[in-house]
PDB file of all heavy atoms in Angstrom:
ATOM      1  N   LEU A 377      24.405   2.157  46.960  1.00  0.00           N
ATOM      2  CA  LEU A 377      23.623   2.690  48.064  1.00  0.00           C
ATOM      3  C   LEU A 377      22.551   1.697  48.514  1.00  0.00           C
ATOM      4  O   LEU A 377      22.322   1.533  49.714  1.00  0.00           O
ATOM      5  CB  LEU A 377      22.973   4.036  47.653  1.00  0.00           C
ATOM      6  CG  LEU A 377      23.961   5.185  47.356  1.00  0.00           C
ATOM      7  CD1 LEU A 377      23.221   6.383  46.795  1.00  0.00           C
ATOM      8  CD2 LEU A 377      24.711   5.564  48.647  1.00  0.00           C
ATOM      9  N   LEU A 378      21.964   0.999  47.549  1.00  0.00           N
ATOM     10  CA  LEU A 378      20.912   0.032  47.851  1.00  0.00           C
ATOM     11  C   LEU A 378      21.400  -1.062  48.778  1.00  0.00           C
ATOM     12  O   LEU A 378      20.698  -1.516  49.680  1.00  0.00           O
ATOM     13  CB  LEU A 378      20.410  -0.594  46.541  1.00  0.00           C
ATOM     14  CG  LEU A 378      19.179  -1.473  46.606  1.00  0.00           C
ATOM     15  CD1 LEU A 378      17.960  -0.629  46.992  1.00  0.00           C
ATOM     16  CD2 LEU A 378      18.936  -2.169  45.267  1.00  0.00           C
ATOM     17  N   ARG A 379      22.653  -1.492  48.591  1.00  0.00           N
ATOM     18  CA  ARG A 379      23.146  -2.572  49.461  1.00  0.00           C
ATOM     19  C   ARG A 379      23.825  -2.021  50.709  1.00  0.00           C
ATOM     20  O   ARG A 379      24.469  -2.750  51.445  1.00  0.00           O
ATOM     21  CB  ARG A 379      24.040  -3.509  48.673  1.00  0.00           C
ATOM     22  CG  ARG A 379      25.389  -2.928  48.307  1.00  0.00           C
ATOM     23  CD  ARG A 379      26.238  -3.945  47.527  1.00  0.00           C
ATOM     24  NE  ARG A 379      27.535  -3.379  47.284  1.00  0.00           N
ATOM     25  CZ  ARG A 379      28.381  -3.823  46.380  1.00  0.00           C
ATOM     26  NH1 ARG A 379      28.024  -4.840  45.622  1.00  0.00           N
ATOM     27  NH2 ARG A 379      29.561  -3.290  46.239  1.00  0.00           N
ATOM     28  N   GLY A 380      23.737  -0.718  50.887  1.00  0.00           N
ATOM     29  CA  GLY A 380      24.205  -0.132  52.149  1.00  0.00           C
ATOM     30  C   GLY A 380      25.629   0.415  52.124  1.00  0.00           C
ATOM     31  O   GLY A 380      26.153   0.814  53.151  1.00  0.00           O
ATOM     32  N   ASP A 381      26.281   0.369  50.955  1.00  0.00           N
ATOM     33  CA  ASP A 381      27.620   0.931  50.885  1.00  0.00           C
ATOM     34  C   ASP A 381      27.576   2.460  51.075  1.00  0.00           C
ATOM     35  O   ASP A 381      26.675   3.135  50.537  1.00  0.00           O
ATOM     36  CB  ASP A 381      28.258   0.669  49.502  1.00  0.00           C
ATOM     37  CG  ASP A 381      28.604  -0.817  49.337  1.00  0.00           C
ATOM     38  OD1 ASP A 381      28.243  -1.607  50.217  1.00  0.00           O
ATOM     39  OD2 ASP A 381      29.156  -1.144  48.266  1.00  0.00           O
ATOM     40  N   ARG A 382      28.536   2.972  51.786  1.00  0.00           N
ATOM     41  CA  ARG A 382      28.644   4.426  51.981  1.00  0.00           C
ATOM     42  C   ARG A 382      30.132   4.783  51.893  1.00  0.00           C
ATOM     43  O   ARG A 382      30.995   4.012  52.298  1.00  0.00           O
ATOM     44  CB  ARG A 382      28.167   4.854  53.389  1.00  0.00           C
ATOM     45  CG  ARG A 382      26.729   4.431  53.725  1.00  0.00           C
ATOM     46  CD  ARG A 382      25.721   5.281  52.934  1.00  0.00           C
ATOM     47  NE  ARG A 382      24.356   4.957  53.332  1.00  0.00           N
ATOM     48  CZ  ARG A 382      23.551   4.090  52.678  1.00  0.00           C
ATOM     49  NH1 ARG A 382      24.023   3.437  51.624  1.00  0.00           N
ATOM     50  NH2 ARG A 382      22.324   3.894  53.063  1.00  0.00           N
ATOM     51  N   SER A 383      30.412   6.002  51.405  1.00  0.00           N
ATOM     52  CA  SER A 383      31.794   6.478  51.432  1.00  0.00           C
ATOM     53  C   SER A 383      31.909   7.487  52.557  1.00  0.00           C
ATOM     54  O   SER A 383      30.969   8.241  52.831  1.00  0.00           O
ATOM     55  CB  SER A 383      32.159   7.168  50.106  1.00  0.00           C
ATOM     56  OG  SER A 383      32.167   6.238  49.062  1.00  0.00           O
ATOM     57  N   PRO A 384      33.080   7.525  53.202  1.00  0.00           N
ATOM     58  CA  PRO A 384      33.281   8.529  54.259  1.00  0.00           C
ATOM     59  C   PRO A 384      33.446   9.917  53.654  1.00  0.00           C
ATOM     60  O   PRO A 384      33.858  10.056  52.505  1.00  0.00           O
ATOM     61  CB  PRO A 384      34.582   8.087  54.929  1.00  0.00           C
ATOM     62  CG  PRO A 384      35.303   7.328  53.870  1.00  0.00           C
ATOM     63  CD  PRO A 384      34.262   6.691  52.986  1.00  0.00           C
ATOM     64  N   LEU A 385      33.141  10.934  54.421  1.00  0.00           N
ATOM     65  CA  LEU A 385      33.334  12.284  53.916  1.00  0.00           C
ATOM     66  C   LEU A 385      34.795  12.643  53.724  1.00  0.00           C
ATOM     67  O   LEU A 385      35.143  13.607  53.049  1.00  0.00           O
ATOM     68  CB  LEU A 385      32.663  13.306  54.849  1.00  0.00           C
ATOM     69  CG  LEU A 385      31.126  13.302  54.790  1.00  0.00           C
ATOM     70  CD1 LEU A 385      30.541  14.307  55.747  1.00  0.00           C
ATOM     71  CD2 LEU A 385      30.607  13.602  53.368  1.00  0.00           C
ATOM     72  N   ALA A 386      35.688  11.746  54.226  1.00  0.00           N
ATOM     73  CA  ALA A 386      37.110  11.953  54.006  1.00  0.00           C
ATOM     74  C   ALA A 386      37.600  11.294  52.707  1.00  0.00           C
ATOM     75  O   ALA A 386      38.800  11.327  52.397  1.00  0.00           O
ATOM     76  CB  ALA A 386      37.898  11.376  55.197  1.00  0.00           C
ATOM     77  N   ALA A 387      36.673  10.689  51.938  1.00  0.00           N
ATOM     78  CA  ALA A 387      37.068   9.945  50.736  1.00  0.00           C
ATOM     79  C   ALA A 387      37.860  10.851  49.781  1.00  0.00           C
ATOM     80  O   ALA A 387      37.502  12.023  49.592  1.00  0.00           O
ATOM     81  CB  ALA A 387      35.838   9.416  50.014  1.00  0.00           C
ATOM     82  N   GLY A 388      38.925  10.300  49.185  1.00  0.00           N
ATOM     83  CA  GLY A 388      39.776  11.074  48.283  1.00  0.00           C
ATOM     84  C   GLY A 388      39.491  10.723  46.829  1.00  0.00           C
ATOM     85  O   GLY A 388      38.693   9.829  46.510  1.00  0.00           O
ATOM     86  N   ALA A 389      40.183  11.476  45.948  1.00  0.00           N
ATOM     87  CA  ALA A 389      40.074  11.196  44.508  1.00  0.00           C
ATOM     88  C   ALA A 389      41.395  10.613  44.050  1.00  0.00           C
ATOM     89  O   ALA A 389      42.435  10.762  44.693  1.00  0.00           O
ATOM     90  CB  ALA A 389      39.807  12.502  43.753  1.00  0.00           C
ATOM     91  N   SER A 390      41.360   9.907  42.906  1.00  0.00           N
ATOM     92  CA  SER A 390      42.578   9.315  42.370  1.00  0.00           C
ATOM     93  C   SER A 390      42.615   9.464  40.865  1.00  0.00           C
ATOM     94  O   SER A 390      41.600   9.206  40.190  1.00  0.00           O
ATOM     95  CB  SER A 390      42.702   7.853  42.752  1.00  0.00           C
ATOM     96  OG  SER A 390      43.724   7.262  42.017  1.00  0.00           O
ATOM     97  N   PRO A 391      43.786   9.811  40.297  1.00  0.00           N
ATOM     98  CA  PRO A 391      43.877   9.921  38.847  1.00  0.00           C
ATOM     99  C   PRO A 391      43.937   8.537  38.191  1.00  0.00           C
ATOM    100  O   PRO A 391      43.727   8.412  36.981  1.00  0.00           O
ATOM    101  CB  PRO A 391      45.176  10.689  38.597  1.00  0.00           C
ATOM    102  CG  PRO A 391      45.970  10.503  39.843  1.00  0.00           C
ATOM    103  CD  PRO A 391      44.999  10.264  40.981  1.00  0.00           C
ATOM    104  N   ASN A 392      44.209   7.509  38.966  1.00  0.00           N
ATOM    105  CA  ASN A 392      44.442   6.158  38.394  1.00  0.00           C
ATOM    106  C   ASN A 392      43.239   5.253  38.549  1.00  0.00           C
ATOM    107  O   ASN A 392      42.481   5.377  39.501  1.00  0.00           O
ATOM    108  CB  ASN A 392      45.619   5.474  39.090  1.00  0.00           C
ATOM    109  CG  ASN A 392      46.836   6.363  39.042  1.00  0.00           C
ATOM    110  OD1 ASN A 392      47.142   6.951  38.012  1.00  0.00           O
ATOM    111  ND2 ASN A 392      47.527   6.488  40.184  1.00  0.00           N
ATOM    112  N   ALA A 393      43.172   4.278  37.609  1.00  0.00           N
ATOM    113  CA  ALA A 393      42.113   3.312  37.709  1.00  0.00           C
ATOM    114  C   ALA A 393      42.420   2.309  38.801  1.00  0.00           C
ATOM    115  O   ALA A 393      41.510   1.764  39.456  1.00  0.00           O
ATOM    116  CB  ALA A 393      41.930   2.582  36.385  1.00  0.00           C
ATOM    117  N   GLY A 394      43.722   2.047  39.030  1.00  0.00           N
ATOM    118  CA  GLY A 394      44.134   1.151  40.121  1.00  0.00           C
ATOM    119  C   GLY A 394      43.525  -0.232  40.000  1.00  0.00           C
ATOM    120  O   GLY A 394      43.146  -0.832  40.988  1.00  0.00           O
ATOM    121  N   ARG A 395      43.436  -0.710  38.786  1.00  0.00           N
ATOM    122  CA  ARG A 395      42.785  -2.014  38.572  1.00  0.00           C
ATOM    123  C   ARG A 395      43.804  -3.021  38.086  1.00  0.00           C
ATOM    124  O   ARG A 395      44.570  -2.732  37.169  1.00  0.00           O
ATOM    125  CB  ARG A 395      41.676  -1.847  37.539  1.00  0.00           C
ATOM    126  CG  ARG A 395      40.834  -3.081  37.362  1.00  0.00           C
ATOM    127  CD  ARG A 395      39.562  -2.758  36.613  1.00  0.00           C
ATOM    128  NE  ARG A 395      38.626  -2.059  37.427  1.00  0.00           N
ATOM    129  CZ  ARG A 395      38.231  -0.796  37.246  1.00  0.00           C
ATOM    130  NH1 ARG A 395      38.736  -0.091  36.266  1.00  0.00           N
ATOM    131  NH2 ARG A 395      37.348  -0.230  38.031  1.00  0.00           N
TER     132      ARG A 395
END
Side-chain angles (χ1 to χ4, degrees):
L377 295 173
L378 189 66
R379 72 180 183 198
D381 291 3
R382 305 286 185 264
S383 294
L385 286 179
S390 168
N392 306 316
R395 187 166 285 113

